Amino acid sequence: MAQAAMTVQDEERYFTLVSGHRIPAVGLGTWRSGSRSDDSVFTAIVEAGYRHIDTAAEYGVHEQVGFGLQAAIKAGIRREDLFITTKLWCSDLSPDRVRIALNNALQELQVDYLDLLLIHWPFHLKEGASRPPKEGEVLELDMEGVWREMEKLVKENLVRDIGISNFTVKKLEKLLRFAQTMPSVCQMEMHPGWRNDKMLEACRKNGIHVTAYSPLGSSEGGRDLIHDEAVQRVAKKLNKTPGQILVRWAIQRGTSAIPKSTHSERIKENIGVFGWDIPNEDFEALCRIPNQKRVLSGEDLFVNKEAGPLRTVADVWDHED
Ligand code: NDP
Ligand code: 1BO
């Protein structure tokens, strides 16, 4: 697990975490990549130069991602040069499930350690819960107990960094009251259509690196930022693609970004974001895109209007929006 010295070229390709480890600025997302995940992972690593792959147990693609990783390693990429992130799903958010979930992930991904393990969403669901959950299927979350188990995985070198996703300032503050190992990363939805400045600021204040998920506005019911007027204008001016403008915008905000694609041309395009800048005036124009709104509100996943603790989207986000 030795970390090679950084070259000047490397510098803009990585962010340094509070643990001292570094996270690649651009990673490949794998949600909804299905059976194309293995080819996408291989293309991303071997042909496009990605070193960060983001996945999750809930995406159902661990095995395909594992095949892609193994193929890349066979092609000569060193495991220690890769950064592999996965996430604990809500039904595994109890202290007794954390290690079992980690072992499953290691086996499915065919690796012997993870670079980053995140709490996917800070809600504990009963095993096999419906979507959205029925009455009684949202259980109490023992956040401290879960975090302690995650901390043990770091001590045992099974996981290099631990972190969170879809947290609110309130939940982050609660976690920081008992964390002995700091969350290195907080993964949140962030793009010019949902800047989420509040969480970005809270993380910065605490030295927590932010990864922007859905940096292109997501898919299926997402926000079409690729055709947004401001994004298109800046892309044309800088002779870049809209996808590159969106990923570069995320990096210039100091966040890493994990665009998903299963198309090799787009996978290559989305990492073509180094060695140039979005000028300040254009960056600011992208920051002013109106109608700030989440795509991933959590409604379909967690809200039960009739029963349980999460009756509205506002409940999911602790009424902070
Ligand atoms: P993205 O914002 O990455 O957008 C993906 C969509 O954009 C797909 O439809 C893709 O299509 C399309 N696309 C990709 N590149 C381009 C391009 N250059 N030009 C035009 N269209 C393009 O959405 P995601 O929601 O997938 O977010 C990215 C990743 O973040 C996820 O895959 C997942 O790993 C992570 N994530 C984490 C969450 C969490 O709760 N922690 C929640 C949501 C996402 P195609 O594949 O056909 O190219
Ligand atoms: C189903 C979980 C949302 C994407 O991370």
Side-chain angles (χ1 to χ4, degrees):
M1 284 203 236
Q3 201 159 282
M6 268 220 261
T7 64
V8 175
Q9 248 184 348
D10 274 353
E11 254 170 53
E12 66 165 350
R13 291 179 174 262
Y14 290 87
F15 290 102
T16 300
L17 304 176
V18 68
S19 61
H21 302 137
R22 52 194 189 142
I23 184 170
V26 178
L28 179 76
T30 61
W31 184 32
R32 296 173 170 155
S33 292
S35 59
R36 303 181 73 166
S37 301
D38 48 355
D39 283 347
S40 306
V41 167
F42 181 82
T43 302
I45 297 172
V46 177
E47 293 175 23
Y50 286 63
R51 291 295 176 265
H52 178 185
I53 304 296
D54 179 81
T55 191
E58 185 61 12
Y59 302 164
V61 296
H62 269 170
E63 286 191 357
Q64 287 86 349
V65 169
F67 295 143
L69 292 172
Q70 282 309 308
I73 289 167
K74 278 205 186 85
I77 306 294
R78 301 184 320 168
R79 164 66 184 97
E80 56 268 36
D81 291 336
L82 297 174
F83 190 101
I84 303 168
T85 300
T86 194
K87 316 183 190 89
L88 292 170
W89 184 241
C90 303
S91 49
D92 287 322
L93 284 193
S94 61
D96 59 321
R97 289 291 312 172
V98 170
R99 188 172 293 267
I100 296 170
L102 182 269
N103 284 334
N104 289 341
L106 293 178
Q107 196 184 6
E108 289 162 2
L109 291 165
Q110 300 188 55
V111 291
D112 52 16
Y113 69 92
L114 289 175
D115 294 276
L116 179 61
L117 180 66
L118 303 176
I119 292 179
H120 200 156
W121 288 81
F123 305 110
H124 182 199
L125 293 180
K126 204 169 164 180
E127 181 76 41
S130 310
R131 188 169 290 182
K134 294 197 180 105
E135 184 167 5
E137 290 184 336
V138 179
L139 308 172
E140 196 168 329
L141 172 60
D142 174 5
M143 200 196 282
E144 182 168 356
V146 166
W147 195 253
R148 287 279 171 267
E149 290 303 308
M150 292 172 74
E151 288 174 329
K152 283 183 199 161
L153 302 178
V154 176
K155 289 205 178 77
E156 294 170 36
N157 294 322
L158 292 168
V159 171
R160 297 191 89 200
D161 281 273
I162 49 179
I164 55 181
S165 180
N166 298 303
F167 266 47
T168 55
V169 176
K170 181 178 174 185
K171 291 190 178 83
L172 173 62
E173 283 171 354
K174 176 176 173 178
L175 176 68
L176 293 179
R177 284 198 282 276
F178 55 71
Q180 291 165 3
T181 302
M182 277 287 283
S184 297
V185 174
C186 176
Q187 193 177 112
M188 300 295 297
E189 178 182 340
M190 282 187 193
H191 44 70
W194 178 248
R195 289 190 311 273
N196 201 351
D197 292 327
K198 197 185 279 182
M199 265 315 276
L200 185 58
E201 187 48 40
C203 288
R204 271 194 190 138
K205 209 175 79 190
N206 289 289
I208 301 167
H209 173 77
V210 174
T211 296
Y213 78 62
S214 304
L216 309 176
S218 201
S219 53
E220 293 172 35
R223 179 150 175 183
D224 184 6
L225 291 169
I226 294 287
H227 295 99
D228 178 274
E229 203 189 312
V231 176
Q232 294 247 333
R233 185 188 59 71
V234 177
K236 200 164 169 200
K237 176 177 167 187
L238 302 184
N239 200 21
K240 300 291 175 192
T241 68
Q244 289 170 332
I245 296 299
L246 291 164
V247 176
R248 181 71 215 179
W249 179 85
I251 294 172
Q252 272 182 231
R253 283 181 104 204
T255 67
S256 48
I258 45 173
K260 171 265 176 184
S261 181
T262 51
H263 294 96
S264 64
E265 288 320 307
R266 286 176 172 177
I267 291 171
K268 290 172 194 162
E269 175 190 323
N270 293 342
I271 199 168
V273 294
F274 301 111
W276 57 277
D277 279 322
I278 302 174
N280 212 24
E281 79 226 42
D282 298 315
F283 180 84
E284 291 303 329
L286 294 169
C287 292
R288 285 195 299 270
I289 287 181
N291 190 19
Q292 290 290 305
K293 199 172 181 313
R294 292 179 194 275
V295 171
L296 272 284
S297 69
E299 178 160 17
D300 300 344
L301 296 170
F302 304 111
V303 173
N304 179 335
K305 292 188 176 81
E306 273 84 45
L310 304 169
R311 293 184 185 223
T312 64
V313 167
D315 289 337
V316 172
W317 301 105
D318 290 325
H319 299 256
E320 288 182 3
D321 291 351

